[in-house]
Amino acid sequence: MTGLTEAIGTYVASAPTAPPEDLLPLLRSAFIDTLGTMIAGRDEPAVALLREHLAERGASAAEASVLLGAERAHSADAALLNGTAAHALDYDDVALGGHPSTVLVPAILAEAQRIGANGARAMAAYLVGYEVWGELIAREPDPLHEKGWHPTAVFGTVGAAAALAALHGMDAARAAQAVALAGSMAGGLVANFGSMTKPLHAGRAAASAVEAVRLAARGFSASPDAMEHRAGFLAALSPKGRVDREAPATLGGALRIREVGLNVKRYPMCYATHRTIDGVLDLVSRHDLQPEEVASVEASIGETQAAMLRNHAPRTGLEAKFSLEFAVASAVVARNVGLGELTDGFVARPEVRAIFPKVRIATRDTRCPLEPAFAETDRVVLRTTKGEVLDSGEIRFPRGAALNPMEEAELHAKFADCTRGWNGGSALLDQLSRLETLPGLAALGGRA
């Protein structure tokens, strides 16, 4: 029986070089949303510090654009910076237990620019990376977050390596080597959520994928069973050792992306907060509540969600991204949870901090079949100072989810908000809206 690592290599080598017509809108949205959030995060401290760090290495090959500007770098360094920026605000899309596009798009963009691949091939490579990621995570019944692994950092590294191997047109043996190499480069800890290191996870995953593929292209060897071995990638990550290492791969059949899709974020917060935010915003708006009228808010969420939301009294905008207390407070005080609220100044406002002790988190042990790290539903119960009890009811899919999607106009509005103040946003959106027709990606945003 063909092993999993070998099967992935075979799938990558045989994958089409152009995406199916019906998936073009979804794949365009992945690039639009990711490059928008990348531009929005370009000035975040984590990105600035990383640029300083890389600058100390001296000049390197000018192979790919950094943040779609005039600066160019080695493709791995460009992927590192662009991936970190895309995830810096935690505003990028969600699926497969993590953030697929914030790893796949920066890696593909960097290498597509280096080798001159066209837009259609880049989109097809994205699809390969998504499907390999989906194949691997579908074998694990337990959320990796419970063991401290960040799925974006671990599955993203391997998925992006598969995407780049497809982009390069590697044969099955070399593609399998690239994937096996990437498995040993993967890593990222949930303990670092709410710090600059979390977005670095995405950047490092993208950069590691570039390195893995470029090493494999030179003939750098790796074990042919690195994914499925008892001491391999899947077994090492598995929280309870229940991962399926033996079932035949299902790659090449029905595409997972058609079933799972992409969840586009409406709020620049950990996705574990989004259903609660929707519930609070609806209740506050429907009943026209003022902050001082809110006596308490009970949010019922999944146990793994609660574990991710570790900051109960955040002091900074970065910490607030992983705080359900802040999510509720922002929804109550500002009736919005956007880029303007995720600032140190807003987090420090007395009326915001006054809501924190009014928030109670209750956990439930149900599990969403599409996102196992989340409960099947969340619920918000808000009590007013007048004694009223307001109930959101069960909330299944947050706004922007694949099964409760944004309209194209809403996606474009988010992109415009993310690129405000950046010269070239409208031109970039026009290019990405016809990505499959572009002969190359070097001139994205008019920055060639």
Side-chain angles (χ1 to χ4, degrees):
M1 184 175 64
T2 301
L4 178 58
T5 310
E6 182 182 347
I8 292 172
T10 300
Y11 167 70
V12 169
S14 61
T17 57
E21 188 77 22
D22 68 301
L23 291 178
L24 290 177
L26 177 60
L27 296 171
R28 285 189 213 112
S29 77
F31 282 80
I32 289 170
D33 193 60
T34 304
L35 295 184
T37 58
M38 182 187 84
I39 292 165
R42 69 193 183 278
D43 294 326
E44 286 296 292
V47 179
L49 291 172
L50 194 53
R51 294 182 78 169
E52 290 176 12
H53 171 70
L54 294 178
E56 291 180 355
R57 299 182 183 180
S60 61
E63 298 175 334
S65 64
V66 174
L67 303 171
L68 296 183
E71 180 184 351
R72 298 180 73 77
H74 187 282
S75 61
D77 288 349
L80 173 62
L81 283 163
N82 293 343
T84 302
H87 198 42
L89 296 171
D90 228 294
Y91 207 8
D92 46 294
D93 64 32
V94 176
L96 304 176
H99 302 263
S101 298
T102 201
V103 180
L104 296 176
V105 170
I108 292 167
L109 174 64
E111 280 293 274
Q113 290 181 332
R114 181 174 78 87
I115 67 175
N118 62 29
R121 192 164 189 121
M123 296 169 86
Y126 178 100
L127 189 57
V128 169
Y130 184 105
E131 293 300 311
V132 169
W133 186 331
E135 170 72 34
L136 294 174
I137 199 169
R139 293 168 174 271
E140 177 54 69
D142 302 304
L144 263 63
H145 298 85
E146 293 179 358
K147 196 175 182 180
W149 291 117
H150 184 192
T152 301
V154 290
F155 290 122
T157 305
V158 176
L164 297 184
L167 187 75
H168 281 259
M170 282 183 161
D171 63 30
R174 287 288 169 89
Q177 287 178 333
V179 166
L181 264 166
S184 277
M185 296 178 172
L189 304 176
V190 171
N192 277 318
F193 282 17
S195 75
M196 294 181 191
T197 301
K198 184 176 188 271
L200 181 65
H201 290 173
R204 282 301 309 157
S208 294
V210 172
E211 298 285 14
V213 169
R214 294 183 68 163
L215 284 170
R218 292 181 180 275
F220 206 95
S221 68
S223 296
D225 57 355
M227 294 294 105
E228 69 271 23
H229 190 273
R230 62 178 179 78
F233 180 80
L234 291 176
L237 295 175
S238 188
K240 298 178 181 178
R242 299 196 297 160
V243 67
D244 185 349
R245 299 184 289 112
E246 298 178 359
T250 59
L251 293 161
L255 293 175
R256 283 181 173 82
I257 199 168
R258 287 197 171 103
E259 177 186 357
V260 178
L262 289 170
N263 304 300
V264 178
K265 284 190 172 186
R266 291 290 299 264
Y267 317 112
M269 294 280 296
C270 175
Y271 200 52
T273 66
H274 282 221
R275 293 188 288 197
T276 295
I277 293 172
D278 284 347
V280 174
L281 286 174
D282 285 347
L283 292 176
V284 168
S285 176
R286 189 182 311 140
H287 299 277
D288 194 24
L289 296 175
Q290 300 305 307
E292 60 273 14
E293 295 178 291
V294 175
S296 68
V297 177
E298 179 179 291
S300 298
I301 62 176
E303 294 174 354
T304 305
Q305 290 168 261
M308 286 188 273
L309 302 174
R310 56 178 293 172
N311 299 323
H312 302 293
R315 295 286 175 180
T316 67
L318 195 55
E319 292 177 352
K321 291 178 179 294
F322 295 87
S323 172
L324 196 66
E325 288 82 358
F326 173 80
V328 171
S330 184
V332 168
V333 173
R335 298 194 183 186
N336 191 47
V337 187
L339 295 175
E341 287 72 47
L342 268 297
T343 66
D344 295 356
F346 184 82
V347 174
R349 285 173 53 174
E351 63 270 37
V352 172
R353 303 194 70 79
I355 300 293
F356 293 174
K358 298 180 180 181
V359 178
R360 177 177 175 270
I361 301 174
T363 59
R364 41 182 55 180
D365 61 4
T366 62
R367 186 160 291 179
C368 172
L370 296 177
E371 291 291 342
F374 297 166
E376 186 169 7
T377 60
D378 291 357
R379 188 171 193 156
V380 174
V381 176
L382 186 154
R383 290 175 170 78
T384 72
T385 53
K386 297 178 181 177
E388 299 168 298
V389 178
L390 310 177
D391 192 336
S392 69
E394 301 297 334
I395 305 170
R396 182 70 180 91
F397 300 110
R399 298 185 180 104
L403 294 176
N404 186 15
M406 286 186 182
E407 299 290 338
E408 184 179 63
E410 293 178 294
L411 177 67
H412 290 182
K414 176 183 173 180
F415 181 88
D417 187 37
C418 285
T419 58
R420 185 173 288 114
W422 184 78
N423 184 25
S426 60
L428 177 60
L429 180 59
D430 175 68
Q431 290 172 312
L432 295 175
S433 296
R434 49 186 175 86
L435 179 59
E436 67 277 11
T437 71
L438 299 183
L441 304 186
L444 281 180
R447 296 309 211 261

